[in-house]
Amino acid sequence: MTLALPVEGRATRRTTATVLWAFIRRDAAIAVSYRVPFVVGVLQSLGSLAFLYFLGRLVGARFTSSETAGPGGYFGFAVVGSALLTVFTATLTSVSQRLRTDQTTGTLEVLFTMPQSPVLSVLGGSAFQVLYALASALATVLLGLLLGLHLHVTGWSALGALAALVGALVLFAATGIAFGAYVMLFKGGDTLTALAASALTVVGGVFFPLPLLPGWLRGVADVVPFTWAVSTLRTALLHGQVQGAHLALLWGFGVVLLPLCIGLFRMALRRARTKGTLGQY
Amino acid sequence: MQLDMAEASPSGVAAKSAAPDVTPVAPPALQVVGVTKRFGAVEALAGVDLQVERGEVVALLGRNGAGKSTLMRVLASTVVPDAGRLWVEGIEAGSDPARVRGRVSLVLGEDRSFYWRLSGRKNLEFFAAMHGLDRRRARAAATVALESVDLSAEADKRVDRYSTGMRSRLAIARGLLGSPTVLLLDEPTRSLDPAAAAEARALVAAAAGRGLAVLLATHDLHEAAGLAERTVVLDRGRVVARFDRPVPADALHQAVTAVRP
């Protein structure tokens, strides 16, 4: 039997973009291979939007929270909140979900024998899910516009919204990497991320205004970065205003937490390699 | 029973530096000195020394729990040893882990290491990209690798529709991506029928024929006898026998079974 070596020489460029793009193509192909769940997911998003639309009509003018005094009423408040929830929960949970999937399918160990950085692998493994969530959120807002959502965006607030979005993505990606470290060490982190996502839905003021929360929970909400992100983006998109303090906090926490969480993940990976549990699930 | 118990000689890097007048020789493709690993109370590896040259197959034998898979994983960087040193083409693993990982391929003898919803071709393209190949080169590399293991006709089928033998060949194809120096094969013929196992063995021999250093962990003594130029036998994490020439399966059987009651 003859055997050809597949590549003449080694790769000369190990670019981050090449690796990230390969992960995105891989996960897009896997997502499309599940045709029925893919279609059901789209239908579910449409159903949620319809639910919010009719809930908005029910609540109507009684929805007088100062935070939502934009032209869209409850519908605008909830649609923007829902879109942001989609993006931020994906960013928070995608690293750990992908790691867990790779643990159970047996691809994780092989992946970490490859020459690229393990951190790049985990970020790459979450990239498609985050991009898909961003596209889904954008589609939700666009469909919302057709159903009566009114955005009030100025040049500055658009810039502020973009800065808040990027800052929040950095911050939640960092937190997601920390969740990934948990999965690397203890396996089975799905419940932890699911708990975090549902808790954030409540304290983040996604579907109802924060003044409805009891005092102690409002206190918790006020110091949760998720709340700042939702509030900053919602204010920028619905009211045309920039919440500079929250924006600075988002970026500040993101810049500090990202290297810390990457360090934590590296420690967890090292621990898994030391204990010999990388291939276990 | 007469076993060829060769000295564990840390040649290569250390030896060369002590002999400056000798004409420089290429360092071994793979050299391991004093690798030790404990998992709690279990001593999985106890000072293992090993060397594999380009173009040769070295068989790694031993009973279940002897330390073969742990050693393979140490060499593939998925398990950190407690002590010991490892060089690949003279590059110490600790000094440049990414470069070393790029030159060592681990082929696992199990089905669970592919994306089953993707075709064999898509899988290989993805793993080629993990070696830093851009899309065009990754596609070309996948095509050549699939041809090498005679999977071209099945390249666009999803991996979940492959037979076990086909997945085994696909794993070997993946191991060839990125032009590795060292191919680590952890029981590549486990679960294969005789015909598929013969095909896999032919691929292993062909890989060595192309200049790769092959370390083959196996329980199949006939496979080891047929493929390996040299053999190392492990027991309880220690090298208990070395054969520095091809030997028949019955001699290997004696070596493996003699070490424990």
Side-chain angles (χ1 to χ4, degrees):
Chain A
M1 181 174 285
T2 59
L3 190 78
L5 293 178
V7 184
E8 9 17 272
R10 289 193 177 80
T12 52
R13 292 186 313 140
R14 289 195 177 125
T15 63
T16 300
T18 298
V19 173
L20 284 177
W21 183 231
F23 274 107
I24 292 167
R25 283 203 316 273
R26 177 200 72 178
D27 290 334
I30 291 173
V32 169
S33 79
Y34 289 100
R35 288 191 185 88
V36 172
F38 188 78
V39 172
V40 168
V42 172
L43 291 175
Q44 188 189 7
S45 298
L46 291 174
S48 298
L49 191 65
F51 170 78
L52 293 178
Y53 173 73
F54 289 111
L55 193 62
R57 290 187 65 176
L58 176 68
V59 173
R62 280 175 292 172
F63 190 71
T64 56
S65 164
S66 60
E67 195 179 8
T68 62
Y74 178 77
F75 181 59
F77 174 89
V79 165
V80 171
S82 171
L84 296 176
L85 180 69
T86 302
V87 173
F88 295 154
T89 50
T91 312
L92 268 176
T93 61
S94 55
V95 166
S96 54
Q97 283 179 356
R98 186 65 236 180
L99 274 174
R100 189 71 192 129
T101 302
D102 278 325
Q103 279 176 342
T104 52
T105 56
T107 43
L108 187 69
E109 187 175 24
V110 169
L111 203 53
F112 284 166
T113 65
M114 299 288 154
Q116 87 290 344
S117 147
V119 173
L120 181 59
S121 284
V122 299
L123 288 175
S126 70
F128 173 77
Q129 208 173 326
V130 174
L131 289 175
Y132 184 81
L134 279 167
S136 177
L138 182 63
T140 299
V141 171
L142 291 175
L143 284 173
L145 289 171
L146 294 177
L147 293 173
L149 166 67
H150 296 286
L151 297 180
H152 178 229
V153 183
T154 65
W156 280 113
S157 76
L159 207 58
L162 186 63
L165 180 64
V166 175
L169 288 177
V170 171
L171 176 56
F172 298 138
T175 316
I177 290 170
F179 284 145
Y182 176 90
V183 169
M184 187 65 67
L185 285 178
F186 305 111
K187 325 294 176 197
D190 320 44
T191 48
L192 181 71
T193 52
L195 177 68
S198 59
L200 292 176
T201 306
V202 175
V203 299
V206 173
F207 294 114
F208 48 83
L210 292 177
L212 286 180
L213 295 175
W216 66 272
L217 199 52
R218 177 71 196 262
V220 172
D222 286 342
V223 295
V224 172
F226 186 85
T227 312
W228 310 335
V230 171
S231 171
T232 307
L233 275 151
R234 188 182 268 148
T235 306
L237 294 174
L238 293 178
H239 303 270
Q241 296 165 3
V242 178
Q243 294 182 336
H246 279 172
L247 192 57
L249 281 171
L250 281 175
W251 273 94
F253 271 80
V255 167
V256 170
L257 278 182
L258 187 62
L260 287 178
C261 293
I262 287 175
L264 185 67
F265 179 80
R266 285 194 171 127
M267 282 170 57
L269 179 59
R270 169 112 191 144
R271 177 100 177 126
R273 281 178 162 152
T274 302
K275 291 176 71 181
T277 59
L278 204 54
Q280 297 175 4
Y281 61 96
Chain B
M1 182 178 65
Q2 180 65 46
L3 301 181
D4 289 343
M5 304 292 286
E7 285 288 315
S9 54
S11 58
V13 177
K16 274 189 298 167
S17 62
D21 296 335
V22 178
T23 305
V25 279
L30 173 69
Q31 184 166 22
V32 176
V33 176
V35 166
T36 300
K37 182 69 190 173
R38 291 189 78 91
F39 295 115
V42 177
E43 192 168 39
L45 296 172
V48 172
D49 300 320
L50 189 72
Q51 188 169 312
V52 187
E53 301 289 349
R54 274 186 169 271
E56 75 169 344
V57 178
V58 174
L60 191 59
L61 303 182
R63 298 180 178 210
N64 290 329
K68 302 186 299 296
S69 292
T70 300
L71 180 59
M72 287 294 195
R73 281 166 170 77
V74 167
L75 301 180
S77 308
T78 62
V79 169
V80 178
D82 298 331
R85 301 176 78 180
L86 158 68
W87 293 267
V88 175
E89 287 188 313
I91 307 164
E92 186 164 12
S95 68
D96 195 347
R99 199 161 160 217
V100 166
R101 285 202 304 273
R103 295 182 180 205
V104 177
S105 276
L106 175 65
V107 176
L108 299 167
E110 56 187 46
D111 291 344
R112 298 175 57 252
S113 67
F114 286 104
Y115 302 103
W116 284 35
R117 303 285 299 188
L118 302 183
S119 67
R121 185 190 305 282
K122 293 278 184 204
N123 266 280
L124 292 195
E125 285 178 5
F126 170 74
F127 285 110
M130 294 301 103
H131 283 279
L133 302 182
D134 61 31
R135 196 172 181 183
R136 183 183 59 79
R137 295 183 74 203
R139 191 174 295 161
T143 299
V144 176
L146 287 160
E147 283 170 4
S148 292
V149 299
D150 202 20
L151 276 177
S152 296
E154 326 290 338
D156 295 311
K157 277 187 184 171
R158 276 178 16 188
V159 171
D160 58 5
R161 291 169 190 159
Y162 278 20
S163 67
T164 306
M166 288 160 69
R167 280 195 284 272
S168 174
R169 280 186 280 152
L170 188 65
I172 293 173
R174 178 175 58 196
L176 299 173
L177 296 169
S179 296
T181 303
V182 178
L183 200 54
L184 307 171
L185 300 160
D186 194 3
E187 300 184 48
T189 57
R190 182 176 66 184
S191 315
L192 298 188
D193 65 45
E199 288 175 358
R201 284 182 203 119
L203 287 170
V204 173
R210 291 298 304 246
L212 272 73
V214 179
L215 183 61
L216 169 71
T218 181
H219 286 292
D220 187 330
L221 302 180
H222 291 281
E223 180 173 284
L227 284 171
E229 284 87 2
R230 295 191 295 118
T231 302
V232 173
V233 182
L234 288 180
D235 185 53
R236 296 185 178 108
R238 295 172 197 282
V239 175
V240 292
R242 291 179 195 270
F243 298 90
D244 286 337
R245 60 174 190 274
V247 288
D250 55 350
L252 297 177
H253 182 263
Q254 279 186 304
V256 172
T257 55
V259 292
R260 264 198 276 197

